[in-house]
Amino acid sequence: MSKILKKLEGMAGTDSSAIMSNKRPIASTFDKDEAVILKLAQQAFTHIFKQADKADALKPAGSENIQAYDEAHLQLGQRRLLCFRIEENTFYICILPQNSDIHKAQKIIRGALPVLKKIADTSSVQTAQD
Amino acid sequence: MKSYKVLFVGSPGSGKTTAIRTISDVEVVDTDTKVSDSTIKRKRTTTVGMDYGKLSLGEDKVLHLYGTPGQERFKFMWDLMVSDLANDASALILLVDNTRNYPFRDIDYYLSEFWDFIVKRHFIIAVTRSDLAAEPTEADYQNRLKEKGIFAPIIFIDARKSMDVMDLVVSALNQEDDIDWAEISHRVAVTELKNRNPDPNSPQFEWLRKTRDVPKISIIEAAMQVRGISGATHLDNNQKLLDTSSNTLECNELFSSLAKLAAAIENKAPQLEQVRNISLHAPQKDSISVFLEPDQALGLLTLPALTHKQIRQQAEDLLQWSDNVENTQEA
């Protein structure tokens, strides 16, 4: 699975990436030194989406598009953490280095979301069987 | 005929067009157009292409004055000018607006953008609007450059005064010893005197009309005039609401909670770099972004068609021009 993540990183211009499900990585290219960033990112993005969903829920019915936010960014200094919500508690998280093309990364990762979802689904089936 | 060239760069409203216009012998070729972005906070018109002026340095010498547009969205013009039109320029003059909240950040930014150009040429920093904001001082700028290992003249100027702009030009061409600077300065000063009472039908009069004082507006009012921004909220350093365009509680609460999250991350993981921005996106849905500074934050609700780069540039200029924070030397 890491090979697929690496390939996606090459195409999107991102550095380390991971698929996190229920707070645990099911596939990751983050090294040990970056584990703290991944953990913090997972917690932060969970909070960000929770707050966004809460704000959406408060809006009067039919007032705006009911689609939920599925992408969040956290910029730390010149680096950017990108997160795509694959399912309720499943995220794809990656690091975008300084001076990268954000638009290109967004487009490529968004295009790869069905594949990432498949990886997440396969992994959860395997976990259930184990 | 021997030609010299000087390139003026700097943030929007830092005085590039004014400086060129102040000393040019010819009517400046400008590409000014009505402001359609956050620059509305500072002026009515802005350069969208380039400025060009000319100063005769004697019978057989001429100085070409080029000015870049300030907004990053016209970066293609910066590239064009450094690689072609002004590629053989003798000097780059960086104009820094002292009233911006984080002027050192402008220096860092332009140094990074024009570094390859600067290393081969004279580099001068011209600080403008110090009559409106006394700090940072010259010593502050010198210390900052020293920390970065850069040695460059720092000259405080009023871009509307010809003798101040002449100081920059003399410094830029200081290696040329066969130019009669006294004669040129005298000529420029006489022209300036003549221009003080321009003919109402002259281009100079039109220029003065366009650059008359801009009514003071808040950063929220300025943000709401930017195409693509549908909501804006200004928060203080405690994530408390200062001003907003939106009366919808849920949106303001979301901006505030994202700013609080940034503060929490910095407390929890001080080893990490500062959180500069948090944003939320979805196809076909307005994006939500919060831009954070140590002393303030700006939340923006933007149309999905607006790119990150466009949003960031508008937010950074708005935060640089907000009125409620003290002029700070934070980078």
Side-chain angles (χ1 to χ4, degrees), chain B residues 251-307:
Chain B
C251 196
N252 285 332
E253 278 187 357
L254 181 55
F255 285 138
S256 178
S257 69
L258 294 179
K260 279 178 187 159
L261 172 69
I265 291 172
E266 280 168 19
N267 280 336
K268 195 173 172 185
Q271 76 277 21
L272 295 179
E273 289 179 280
Q274 186 200 332
V275 179
R276 304 279 298 273
N277 164 233
I278 298 176
S279 59
L280 278 156
H281 312 266
Q284 319 298 326
K285 191 169 179 167
D286 283 357
S287 297
I288 283 180
S289 309
V290 177
F291 292 85
L292 303 125
E293 295 293 349
D295 46 6
Q296 58 176 333
L298 178 68
L300 295 176
L301 194 62
T302 56
L303 298 182
L306 231 57
T307 65

Side-chain angles (χ1 to χ4, degrees), chain B residues 161-176:
Chain B
K161 291 184 179 163
S162 61
M163 287 305 103
D164 283 14
V165 183
M166 281 304 296
D167 280 349
L168 298 178
V169 170
V170 173
S171 182
L173 301 179
N174 66 357
Q175 76 283 16
E176 305 296 328

Side-chain angles (χ1 to χ4, degrees), chain B residues 117-134:
Chain B
F117 188 80
I118 288 168
V119 288
K120 297 173 197 150
R121 292 164 185 85
H122 282 280
F123 173 53
I124 298 156
I125 292 181
V127 181
T128 58
R129 294 176 181 253
S130 59
D131 52 329
L132 301 173

Side-chain angles (χ1 to χ4, degrees), chain A residues 85-130:
Chain A
R85 180 157 59 170
I86 301 171
E87 276 168 10
E88 184 61 28
N89 289 314
T90 308
F91 302 146
Y92 170 75
I93 296 171
C94 61
I95 299 177
L96 195 62
Q98 189 178 354
N99 298 329
S100 301
D101 186 339
I102 302 173
H103 191 60
K104 179 185 153 198
Q106 283 177 296
K107 216 171 156 184
I108 288 170
I109 296 168
R110 207 163 262 289
L113 283 181
V115 178
L116 296 171
K117 187 176 180 321
K118 214 172 238 179
I119 295 173
D121 288 346
T122 311
S123 175
S124 55
V125 169
Q126 277 175 357
T127 311
Q129 283 172 351
D130 292 344

Side-chain angles (χ1 to χ4, degrees), chain A residues 20-38:
Chain A
M20 303 286 288
S21 186
N22 294 314
K23 301 180 187 175
R24 286 174 42 209
I26 55 176
S28 174
T29 67
F30 277 79
D31 61 30
K32 271 186 182 174
D33 295 341
E34 293 172 326
V36 63
I37 296 180
L38 182 60

Side-chain angles (χ1 to χ4, degrees), chain B residues 85-128:
Chain B
L85 291 170
N87 183 254
D88 52 347
S90 310
L92 181 139
I93 298 174
L94 169 59
L95 277 82
V96 181
D97 176 354
N98 220 35
T99 63
R100 303 246 290 180
N101 288 323
Y102 320 103
F104 291 161
R105 190 175 295 169
D106 288 335
I107 294 180
D108 293 348
Y109 176 74
Y110 286 98
L111 275 175
S112 139
E113 287 294 325
F114 289 90
W115 183 250
D116 291 343
F117 188 80
I118 288 168
V119 288
K120 297 173 197 150
R121 292 164 185 85
H122 282 280
F123 173 53
I124 298 156
I125 292 181
V127 181
T128 58

Side-chain angles (χ1 to χ4, degrees), chain B residues 27-302:
Chain B
E27 187 52 38
V28 169
V29 178
D30 66 31
T31 49
D32 277 16
T33 190
K34 201 177 163 195
V35 165
S36 63
D37 61 11
S38 54
T39 315
I40 190 76
K41 182 97 173 73
R42 275 299 162 88
K43 52 184 188 170
R44 294 167 197 274
T45 63
T46 194
T47 303
V48 294
M50 65 171 221
D51 294 315
Y52 171 73
K54 202 161 80 171
L55 177 67
S56 170
L57 300 179
E59 281 182 8
D60 57 350
K61 295 182 199 74
V62 65
L63 172 64
H64 300 279
L65 307 155
Y66 291 95
T68 61
Q71 282 96 338
E72 196 187 340
R73 66 194 156 106
F74 301 117
K75 204 170 162 182
F76 63 93
M77 277 305 296
W78 304 357
D79 297 338
L80 180 71
M81 292 173 88
V82 298
S83 64
D84 190 347
L85 291 170
N87 183 254
D88 52 347
S90 310
L92 181 139
I93 298 174
L94 169 59
L95 277 82
V96 181
D97 176 354
N98 220 35
T99 63
R100 303 246 290 180
N101 288 323
Y102 320 103
F104 291 161
R105 190 175 295 169
D106 288 335
I107 294 180
D108 293 348
Y109 176 74
Y110 286 98
L111 275 175
S112 139
E113 287 294 325
F114 289 90
W115 183 250
D116 291 343
F117 188 80
I118 288 168
V119 288
K120 297 173 197 150
R121 292 164 185 85
H122 282 280
F123 173 53
I124 298 156
I125 292 181
V127 181
T128 58
R129 294 176 181 253
S130 59
D131 52 329
L132 301 173
E135 289 184 338
T137 62
E138 192 176 338
D140 295 328
Y141 279 99
Q142 274 166 350
N143 289 336
R144 181 66 174 196
L145 286 189
K146 202 172 158 191
E147 279 168 24
K148 297 183 83 68
I150 291 165
F151 297 94
I154 299 157
I155 304 174
F156 277 56
I157 66 154
D158 182 334
R160 297 164 299 183
K161 291 184 179 163
S162 61
M163 287 305 103
D164 283 14
V165 183
M166 281 304 296
D167 280 349
L168 298 178
V169 170
V170 173
S171 182
L173 301 179
N174 66 357
Q175 76 283 16
E176 305 296 328
D177 49 14
D178 56 346
I179 299 172
D180 186 353
W181 290 115
E183 194 279 324
I184 299 161
S185 296
H186 176 71
R187 200 185 72 236
V188 167
V190 169
T191 310
E192 186 188 6
L193 276 174
K194 276 187 199 163
N195 286 341
R196 284 200 183 155
N197 294 302
D199 174 354
N201 297 316
S202 69
Q204 176 71 13
F205 190 86
E206 175 61 13
W207 166 253
L208 290 172
R209 193 188 62 78
K210 282 198 293 188
T211 57
R212 68 191 189 275
D213 285 346
V214 176
K216 201 168 175 163
I217 59 171
S218 72
I219 71 164
I220 297 303
E221 288 168 311
M224 294 310 290
Q225 298 208 25
V226 179
R227 203 176 301 140
I229 294 182
S230 52
T233 295
H234 193 198
L235 304 167
D236 69 8
N237 57 344
N238 293 314
Q239 302 87 40
K240 296 257 165 59
L241 191 94
L242 289 168
D243 193 7
T244 182
S245 69
S246 167
N247 292 321
T248 52
L249 191 65
E250 67 275 5
C251 196
N252 285 332
E253 278 187 357
L254 181 55
F255 285 138
S256 178
S257 69
L258 294 179
K260 279 178 187 159
L261 172 69
I265 291 172
E266 280 168 19
N267 280 336
K268 195 173 172 185
Q271 76 277 21
L272 295 179
E273 289 179 280
Q274 186 200 332
V275 179
R276 304 279 298 273
N277 164 233
I278 298 176
S279 59
L280 278 156
H281 312 266
Q284 319 298 326
K285 191 169 179 167
D286 283 357
S287 297
I288 283 180
S289 309
V290 177
F291 292 85
L292 303 125
E293 295 293 349
D295 46 6
Q296 58 176 333
L298 178 68
L300 295 176
L301 194 62
T302 56

